[in-house]
Amino acid sequence: MVDPSDKAGFPHHMIKEIFEQPQGLRDTILPRVSLEEAAVKLEDIRIPADDLRTLRRINIVASGTSRHAGMVGQYMIQELVNLPVEVDYASEFEYRNSLLGPDEITVVITQSGETADTTSAQREAKARGSHTIAISNVVDSTIAREADGVLYTYAGKEVSIASTKAFTAQMAVLFLFSLYLGQVRGKLGKDQRRHLLRELLEIPNKLDPALECAEQCEHLAETYLKFDDFLFMGRGIHYPVAMDGALKLKEVSYVHAEGYPTGETKHGPLALIDEHLPVVILATCDRGDPGSVIRYEKNVANIKSFKQQGGRVIAIGSEGDAVLPKLADHTVLLPQAPELLLPILEIVPLQIFAYYIAVKRGLDVDRPRNLVKSVTLE
Ligand code: BG6
C-alpha cells in the first residue's frame, strides 16, 4: 500500500512526482502495446470498433492541466487519423450548446475523476446522445464509473495539487488512442504503427536525460526569481505545453504567466516584450518532419526580434542545436523525438522551473493557496 505522505526522500511531492514520470509512462504504455502485432490494445474502451469506424467527430472536454492534454491530443488525432476534434473547457461546455450528434464521441480527461465541471459535462454529453470515454488517473472514480469506456492513466497517486505526472501520462494515452483509432479505421498501416509505437516506447527512456536539466532549471529559477510576469510560447502542438508551463508557474508560485501561440504575439503581446517580461519559448525541432523545421525557423526569427527589442528569452530546444544557445539568454536542450511526442519531454523543464521558483519564494509548493486537488463544486 503506497503511503501518500511518503516523499521518498524528496523535499516535496511535486518534485517527487516530476521524477516519477518515466515510471508512470512505462506503466501506462507497456500493457497496451504489442510491437510484434504492431497493435494497440485498449482493454476498457468498450466502444464497438464499428462505432469508431463511423465516427464523424471527437469532442474533448476537461479542466486545468487535463484540458491542455486534450489540446495536445487534438493535434495527435487530427494528424494521425484525419478526424476533426474539438476541445472545450468543461466549465463552459454546457453553455456552448454543443451540437452533439450520434456519430460522435466525447472524451473527458481528468486526473482525479471527481472534478464537478467535468462530471456534469460528461452527463450533458450523454444526455445529448454522445458516447463518452473517460481518461482518468483514479480507478473507479465517479467520472470513470459513469463513462461508456475508460482509458486509465497509471501515473500513480498524485498528491501535489499542481498536476505533473498525470499530464505526461494523459498525453501518452491520447497518442495510444490516436494509434488505436488509426488501426481500427484503417488509417495507419502496420509499418507506420510499429514505427510510431517504437518511438512511443522510447519516450520514458528519454525522460531520464530530460530530467537531468533539473540543476540548470534551478539556476534559471534563481536568475528569474524577481520577475512577476512571464510569457510562455509555442507553435502547433507545442502551444498547449506553453499553456501548461504558464499554469504551473501560476499555480505554485503565484506569478502572473500567460501561454500564447508564438505566431499570435505580433497581434498584440509583442508590445509587452522588453527586459521586464521574460519569454519562455518552445523551439524544439524534429529534423525529420518538414513542418517541424518550418515552425523551428519561424521560432528562431521570433527570438531574434524579441532580443532586438530588449527581451529576455529562455529557449527550450532539441539536443544538437547550435543556433539557440547563441540567440537566447538561456537554452535548455532536450533529447530528440518525433514532433507529436516532443510535448511529453518539453513540459519537464517547465514543471521544474515553476517548482524551484515556488521553493525559492518560500511557498507551500504542494498546497498552493486557494487551490484544491479536485474541485468538486461547480
Ligand atoms: C485543479 C487542479 O483543481 O483541477 C489542477 O489543481 C487540475 O491541477 C484541475 O489540472 C483539473 O483536475 P482533474 O482532476 O479533473 O484533472
Side-chain angles (χ1 to χ4, degrees), residues 68-302:
H68 297 148
M71 292 169 72
V72 169
Q74 179 183 34
Y75 287 94
M76 292 171 170
I77 296 169
Q78 296 192 162
E79 184 68 27
L80 293 172
V81 195
N82 213 15
L83 188 60
V85 178
E86 296 207 10
V87 183
D88 259 301
Y89 287 99
S91 57
E92 283 294 311
F93 187 66
E94 61 184 306
Y95 309 130
R96 193 168 73 74
N97 184 20
S98 39
L99 307 167
L100 300 182
D103 43 5
E104 299 182 23
I105 55 172
T106 303
V107 176
V108 289
I109 309 176
T110 169
Q111 187 286 128
S112 63
E114 304 298 341
T115 301
D117 290 329
T118 312
T119 305
S120 52
Q122 174 166 246
R123 289 173 183 163
E124 175 84 17
K126 292 183 77 137
R128 289 169 181 264
S130 172
H131 282 307
T132 67
I133 295 176
I135 297 179
S136 173
N137 195 47
V138 177
V139 175
D140 273 343
S141 60
T142 302
I143 293 173
R145 282 198 314 277
E146 294 186 4
D148 298 304
V150 179
L151 299 175
Y152 286 117
T153 52
Y154 297 109
K157 184 167 177 55
E158 202 174 62
V159 176
S160 181
I161 285 183
S163 184
T164 54
K165 60 180 181 175
F167 182 46
T168 45
Q170 286 163 349
M171 292 190 274
V173 157
L174 286 158
F175 190 78
L176 284 167
F177 181 51
S178 310
L179 294 185
Y180 182 77
L181 284 173
Q183 179 179 302
V184 168
R185 293 166 70 92
K187 284 277 180 204
L188 293 173
K190 253 193 166 179
D191 293 348
Q192 206 183 356
R193 288 201 313 265
R194 187 171 286 117
H195 166 70
L196 292 165
L197 285 171
R198 276 215 177 89
E199 292 287 356
L200 179 65
L201 289 165
E202 267 306 302
I203 293 293
N205 308 331
K206 290 183 179 177
L207 261 180
D208 290 318
L211 287 162
E212 283 162 19
C213 75
E215 203 179 316
Q216 185 188 6
C217 291
E218 182 172 7
H219 290 312
L220 286 175
E222 196 61 50
T223 308
Y224 288 90
L225 194 56
K226 301 261 172 308
F227 289 88
D228 288 326
D229 300 281
F230 286 79
L231 204 49
F232 288 72
M233 297 177 192
R235 285 176 187 275
I237 198 171
H238 311 280
Y239 163 48
V241 181
M243 295 274 282
D244 207 63
L247 179 61
K248 287 308 114 191
L249 198 57
K250 284 185 267 204
E251 281 178 310
V252 298
S253 69
Y254 317 154
V255 166
H256 172 247
E258 209 175 337
Y260 228 80
T262 316
E264 192 58 20
T265 51
K266 56 184 176 290
H267 304 295
L270 201 55
L272 295 175
I273 297 176
D274 62 12
E275 67 279 13
H276 305 296
L277 178 68
V279 168
V280 180
I281 183 166
L282 297 168
T284 54
C285 185
D286 169 2
R287 293 280 162 198
D289 177 324
S292 182
V293 174
I294 292 169
R295 277 187 289 283
Y296 171 78
E297 282 155 4
K298 287 182 180 175
N299 284 326
V300 166
N302 287 116

